[in-house]
């Protein structure tokens, strides 16, 4: 049985406490906003999952409707949409993002 795109998105978000939907990958981002977002997340020092929406046109089409957020990248933490690049930058500058990422990562650390 194949999963619908919506089920795939919900599974990705529920199985990955920190996930970034972006264009490209953290090592090879395909747009400036995705590059900034993955760099900011990397600076928070916790592992995170990512989905390259350019490789998954179905997710690229469905996620904005699911999230009610029209643009990419999108950062999701513990099943909640945090936001896009601008919000991530603001939260990073205030220290809020580092705290959120650190707290989330510590909850999910495997021994």
């Amino acid at each position: 049985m194949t999963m619908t795109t919506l089920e795939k998105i919900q599974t990705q978000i529920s199985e990955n406490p920190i996930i970034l939907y972006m264009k490209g990958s953290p090592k090879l981002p395909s747009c400036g906003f995705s590059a900034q977002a993955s760099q900011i997340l990397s600076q928070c020092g916790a592992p995170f999952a990512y989905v390259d929406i350019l490789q998954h046109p179905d997710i690229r089409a469905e996620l904005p409707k699911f999230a009610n957020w029209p643009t990419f990248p999108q950062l999701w933490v513990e099943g909640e949409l945090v936001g896009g690049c601008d919000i991530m930058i603001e939260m990073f500058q205030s220290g809020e993002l580092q705290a959120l990422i650190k707290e989330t990562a510590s909850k999910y650390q495997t021994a």
Side-chain angles (χ1 to χ4, degrees):
M1 189 179 123
T2 58
M3 291 171 87
T4 67
T5 300
L6 223 45
E7 288 169 333
K8 208 187 306 181
I9 291 169
Q10 289 170 321
T11 300
Q12 289 168 341
I13 290 170
S14 65
E15 288 179 355
N16 297 287
I18 304 167
I19 185 166
L20 182 66
Y21 287 90
M22 63 182 290
K23 294 178 180 173
S25 70
K27 296 215 182 322
L28 270 174
S30 297
C31 87
F33 295 116
S34 289
Q36 272 187 296
S38 61
Q39 193 175 10
I40 287 171
L41 259 187
S42 296
Q43 287 175 359
C44 291
F48 63 94
Y50 75 91
V51 174
D52 177 357
I53 59 156
L54 300 177
Q55 301 290 319
H56 301 279
D58 56 334
I59 291 174
R60 184 180 189 174
E62 290 298 319
L63 187 62
K65 292 179 240 170
F66 174 77
N68 202 12
W69 189 269
T71 57
F72 293 97
Q74 290 185 14
L75 173 63
W76 291 75
V77 176
E78 290 194 289
E80 297 287 318
L81 174 64
V82 174
C85 191
D86 293 351
I87 291 170
M88 288 176 68
I89 290 169
E90 280 176 33
M91 288 177 72
F92 186 79
Q93 287 170 342
S94 72
E96 204 181 336
L97 188 65
Q98 295 91 317
L100 175 68
I101 298 298
K102 191 174 173 186
E103 182 188 323
T104 303
S106 68
K107 279 189 215 170
Y108 292 90
Q109 269 176 343
T110 48

